[in-house]
Amino acid sequence: FIRKGGGAMKSFRTIKRIYQMMFQRNPQYIRLSIGLALLEILNPFIYIFFIRYLTDTIVSNRNWIQLSLLCLMFLLSYYSCQILVNRLEKELTIIGNKLNNDFETNLNDRIMHLDYTYLESPEVLDKRDRAIEGIKENNGIKIADINLKIISIISSVIVVAGTLYLIVSISPFVLLILIVTIIGTLFIEKKLSNIELENWKKWIPLNRRFRMVYDLMYNVKNAQDVRIYSTYDFFTSKVTSYNSDSVSILQTEGKTTAQYSILKRLLIMLQFICVQMFVVNKALAGFISIGEYTMYVNSANSFSTNAMLIVQNFVQIQKNLLYVCEYFDFLDLPSKEFETSKKEKATTPHCIEFQDVSFRYPKSKINTLDHINMKFLLDEKIGIVGKNGAGKTTFIKLLLRLYEPSNGKILLDGKDVREYDYSSYLSMFSAVFQDFNIYPISIRENIVSSNFYDSEKLLKILKELNLYSKLLKCSDGVETVASKLIDATGIDFSTGEKQMISMARAIYKPSSILILDEPTASLDANAENLLYKKYRELSTKKISFFVSHRLASCIFCDSILVFDKGQIVQQGNHKTLINDTSGLYAQMFNLQAAQYK
């Protein structure tokens, strides 16, 4: 299990971790595996010795009673063993599939709880894809299968040890031939494994780009742009290019593996010829009986077969461990949600403070936010405005701890937010983002995200946001699916209605901090007015942040922060800021107002 850059210890730790997970989920799987190993050890010896005695009985005295009993014993023992092996393999396959599903569930759970910053890292996204492909797609390789290969190695080692004496008694030279061919096969198997692994690593980032283009081509949201701007040829050329690169990798791999496969077959042929020459020579010279001839030939075949299995399984486990290590490396990525330390639970906040906070994106040379010092109190409505790229969205992401400050601290009631349990901290927030998401599930599930909900509260919110009247036309009411593509009885909402559903989601969740990021971008004038009225009600006894490019929508805020080039260049209510005619706020406000005159 020696691996480049990792060493034997990492491989053994990975195997130990696999068995710990297996034992925790189903101890019966380990017990059945041990039973299978014992049967796989017993089976070849039953065959070798019974065939020898059967042959000698036939040649020597042709005693039909003795022959019949011997055949009966052989059939009962050998095929009973085979039946048990098949039964155990079937049981192990069923349990193994369940275990593999558990491992895949762990992976999916980890992906869903991945820290937000990782979602913007190509390296981590490639690591995610390697973890997915390694246990799901790569030639059917699955974690539970490693156990079967280890069991096979253990039983094969014992069989090889048991047949070794018989091989040496034929001729030490035969043993030498077998060892040389096995070592040659080991080299070839290792070489083929390395070729496959290297090409797999090249293929992963290529496949991610390939899938991305296909998603763009087939996503219904892009259908209009594809047709209006005639992007068919552009997308097709991208797919063709990625496909050509994939084919090139596969062709190179195919040519190389074919050459090594031919060499492997030649080694096996050489081994067979050498064994037959020595055994036949002994039989012709009268040194061994016909029964012993069959015993030696079967022993050599069994030795060779099991030695090859050891080599193949050894290489396969080594290769699989590289895939599985990618899986565990991804699972082990640090996560704020999976912090094991017992941190204080966040409660209703009275004050949030940015204390000399700066933030710089990885590989960037300048700060996106630069030395922000602000304090926000309960029941305060804060408007956030500024030009594109001024730092507004980054400010909100820092507030939500999707990013962590490069410098400075964010304090919750005087304590660094990193000292609070992350899940409880997030539970304080409700948010409506500009890039809101409505899922192709029922309206109820979109809003409450649970099987348990307050029906009266849900209906009240739907009525207040003018969504209930549309649901009255649907036979399934709040259980109506928000997509006709999924359910013919479903409903396709307009973009503005989807934004209101997103707003309903934020209202339904009990929270202490409300964030509205361009919440009126897709709303008509009536819906926008309704939202402003609702906002006043929602923001009571909360700290609320209203991010908008429409400066007029921030008039009702207690305080407005004007961002420019990563800094807060102005602060105050609308009246104060509009009177400062030289300030950025007044300039932007008057410029927007002129469009309506």
Side-chain angles (χ1 to χ4, degrees):
F1 301 120
I2 296 174
R3 300 171 55 242
K4 292 181 180 179
M9 288 307 298
K10 184 172 183 180
S11 295
F12 282 121
R13 284 195 299 268
T14 302
I15 292 173
K16 179 182 176 182
R17 189 169 178 179
I18 289 171
Y19 275 101
Q20 285 174 338
M21 292 175 70
M22 289 177 178
F23 190 78
Q24 288 170 359
R25 284 164 173 76
N26 199 321
Q28 181 71 4
Y29 187 77
I30 306 299
R31 290 192 285 269
L32 291 176
S33 299
I34 294 171
L36 179 62
L38 294 174
L39 289 172
E40 287 182 343
I41 293 167
L42 183 62
N43 219 16
F45 289 109
I46 292 175
Y47 183 82
I48 289 170
F49 289 104
F50 266 107
I51 292 297
R52 175 204 168 169
Y53 291 122
L54 183 63
T55 305
D56 281 342
T57 300
I58 293 171
V59 173
S60 61
N61 55 23
R62 299 182 181 272
N63 186 321
W64 289 103
I65 296 175
Q66 187 180 2
L67 182 62
S68 298
L69 287 174
L70 200 60
C71 287
L72 182 61
M73 288 175 62
F74 171 70
L75 291 173
L76 285 174
S77 57
Y78 184 77
Y79 286 103
S80 294
C81 193
Q82 283 291 91
I83 290 169
L84 285 173
V85 167
N86 292 336
R87 180 66 184 272
L88 286 177
E89 286 179 343
K90 183 178 179 181
E91 289 293 325
L92 286 170
T93 299
I94 293 171
I95 299 174
N97 286 333
K98 292 179 181 178
L99 289 171
N100 283 315
N101 289 336
D102 288 343
F103 296 143
E104 290 181 15
T105 300
N106 286 345
L107 178 61
N108 293 332
D109 184 64
R110 188 66 188 84
I111 290 171
M112 292 178 67
H113 292 89
L114 198 64
D115 282 359
Y116 187 85
T117 51
Y118 290 139
L119 300 178
E120 299 177 344
S121 167
E123 292 82 6
V124 173
L125 293 178
D126 282 345
K127 183 182 283 290
R128 176 201 63 187
D129 284 2
R130 287 197 298 270
I132 294 171
E133 299 289 344
I135 69 164
K136 286 186 176 182
E137 304 296 339
N138 191 67
N139 297 328
I141 289 169
K142 298 181 179 180
I143 291 179
D145 292 343
I146 290 177
N147 170 64
L148 296 179
K149 289 179 172 55
I150 290 175
I151 292 298
S152 178
I153 286 179
I154 293 171
S155 59
S156 294
V157 166
I158 296 174
V159 171
V160 165
T163 55
L164 183 61
Y165 171 78
L166 295 173
I167 300 299
V168 173
S169 66
I170 300 172
S171 172
F173 188 69
V174 173
L175 179 62
L176 180 62
I177 291 292
L178 291 173
I179 291 173
V180 169
T181 54
I182 289 166
I183 291 173
T185 304
L186 172 60
F187 169 78
I188 293 170
E189 291 284 350
K190 178 63 178 172
K191 195 70 177 178
L192 290 172
S193 175
N194 288 339
I195 291 169
E196 180 186 330
L197 184 64
E198 289 302 317
N199 287 325
W200 179 68
K201 288 181 177 179
K202 294 176 186 176
W203 183 75
I204 286 296
L206 192 64
N207 187 51
R208 182 161 61 84
R209 293 178 177 86
F210 190 85
R211 290 202 314 268
M212 179 192 70
V213 174
Y214 262 113
D215 289 343
L216 290 173
M217 291 173 69
Y218 297 136
N219 195 321
V220 176
K221 293 180 180 179
N222 301 325
Q224 294 179 7
D225 287 339
V226 168
R227 285 155 178 77
I228 293 171
Y229 295 104
S230 299
T231 55
Y232 313 99
D233 293 339
F234 171 74
F235 283 136
T236 302
S237 67
K238 285 287 185 184
V239 169
T240 303
S241 174
Y242 293 145
N243 190 47
S244 176
D245 291 341
S246 298
V247 170
S248 177
I249 292 172
L250 293 173
Q251 284 178 338
T252 303
E253 179 181 349
K255 290 177 182 178
T256 308
T257 54
Q259 294 170 358
Y260 281 104
S261 296
I262 292 171
L263 181 58
K264 179 180 171 183
R265 289 180 181 277
L266 289 174
L267 284 173
I268 294 172
M269 187 183 300
L270 174 65
Q271 179 191 98
F272 175 79
I273 293 171
C274 290
V275 170
Q276 288 294 332
M277 283 176 60
F278 278 90
V279 177
V280 169
N281 184 56
K282 278 183 174 285
L284 292 175
F287 293 115
I288 59 175
S289 66
I290 298 299
E292 288 174 322
Y293 165 79
T294 61
M295 182 183 70
Y296 288 133
V297 170
N298 288 330
S299 296
N301 288 338
S302 184
F303 179 91
S304 176
T305 300
N306 283 277
M308 291 293 185
L309 277 175
I310 293 170
V311 170
Q312 291 168 356
N313 286 323
F314 179 88
V315 173
Q316 191 67 41
I317 288 173
Q318 186 182 35
K319 181 178 70 175
N320 286 4
L321 284 174
L322 292 172
Y323 299 131
V324 175
C325 283
E326 294 284 358
Y327 168 80
F328 284 127
D329 286 348
F330 184 78
L331 290 187
D332 292 338
L333 285 172
S335 169
K336 293 193 285 284
E337 289 197 49
F338 293 150
E339 291 168 343
T340 55
S341 56
K342 295 182 179 179
K343 295 188 176 182
E344 183 180 340
K345 301 289 184 181
T347 56
T348 303
H350 297 88
C351 173
I352 291 181
E353 181 178 359
F354 277 60
Q355 195 175 84
D356 198 34
V357 171
S358 297
F359 179 79
R360 178 179 297 183
Y361 285 95
K363 300 180 181 179
S364 175
K365 295 181 179 179
I366 59 173
N367 287 339
T368 304
L369 285 181
D370 197 23
H371 299 289
I372 303 297
N373 289 280
M374 287 299 303
K375 185 179 288 189
F376 311 107
L377 304 175
L378 190 66
D379 210 21
E380 185 177 6
K381 304 176 187 64
I382 301 102
I384 298 176
V385 301
K387 300 176 181 178
N388 290 333
K392 305 185 297 297
T393 299
T394 302
F395 174 84
I396 294 299
K397 288 180 177 178
L398 284 168
L399 180 64
L400 289 165
R401 288 194 65 195
L402 299 178
Y403 298 150
E404 298 292 353
S406 302
N407 293 294
K409 297 179 181 178
I410 301 175
L411 306 178
L412 174 63
D413 293 335
K415 183 181 288 188
D416 194 323
V417 294
R418 287 171 286 198
E419 297 180 26
Y420 289 99
D421 174 75
Y422 183 69
S423 296
S424 67
Y425 179 80
L426 279 184
S427 68
M428 299 190 306
F429 291 87
S430 286
V432 179
F433 296 108
Q434 184 176 5
D435 298 325
F436 54 87
N437 245 331
I438 300 299
Y439 309 109
I441 53 180
S442 73
I443 307 304
R444 172 186 62 80
E445 291 169 326
N446 263 291
I447 295 172
V448 305
S449 301
S450 173
N451 292 323
F452 306 98
Y453 67 102
D454 186 334
S455 58
E456 291 184 5
K457 180 181 178 180
L458 175 61
L459 291 176
K460 181 175 180 290
I461 293 171
L462 291 171
K463 289 175 181 178
E464 289 175 346
L465 296 178
N466 291 340
L467 292 169
Y468 186 69
S469 57
K470 190 161 186 173
L471 293 180
L472 287 175
K473 302 174 185 178
C474 303
S475 58
D476 294 329
V478 294
E479 299 301 327
T480 302
V481 176
S483 172
K484 283 186 176 293
L485 294 176
I486 302 297
D487 189 336
T489 63
I491 185 170
D492 287 329
F493 289 97
S494 68
T495 305
E497 288 169 332
K498 289 179 180 178
Q499 195 160 29
M500 292 303 276
I501 292 174
S502 181
M503 187 70 192
R505 184 188 296 157
I507 296 172
Y508 185 87
K509 179 185 177 182
S511 60
S512 306
I513 304 172
L514 177 65
I515 296 174
L516 302 181
D517 187 356
E518 297 289 352
T520 63
S522 303
L523 302 182
D524 58 35
N526 289 329
E528 184 175 8
N529 184 58
L530 175 64
L531 180 61
Y532 290 154
K533 291 179 180 179
K534 193 65 182 173
Y535 176 70
R536 294 187 182 94
E537 177 188 332
L538 287 173
S539 56
T540 303
K541 296 182 181 180
K542 294 184 180 183
I543 304 174
S544 64
F545 297 86
F546 196 102
V547 184
S548 181
H549 283 95
R550 300 184 191 178
L551 274 64
S553 63
C554 296
I555 290 175
F556 53 81
C557 292
D558 301 318
S559 178
I560 301 172
L561 308 181
V562 184
F563 279 78
D564 188 36
K565 297 179 181 178
Q567 296 181 324
I568 299 175
V569 294
Q570 285 183 283
Q571 177 191 357
N573 58 32
H574 170 73
K575 185 176 180 179
T576 302
L577 296 175
I578 199 68
N579 288 332
D580 182 3
T581 55
S582 62
L584 179 60
Y585 181 86
Q587 294 174 17
M588 293 173 64
F589 188 93
N590 291 327
L591 185 64
Q592 287 184 5
Q595 308 302 317
Y596 294 93
K597 291 181 181 179

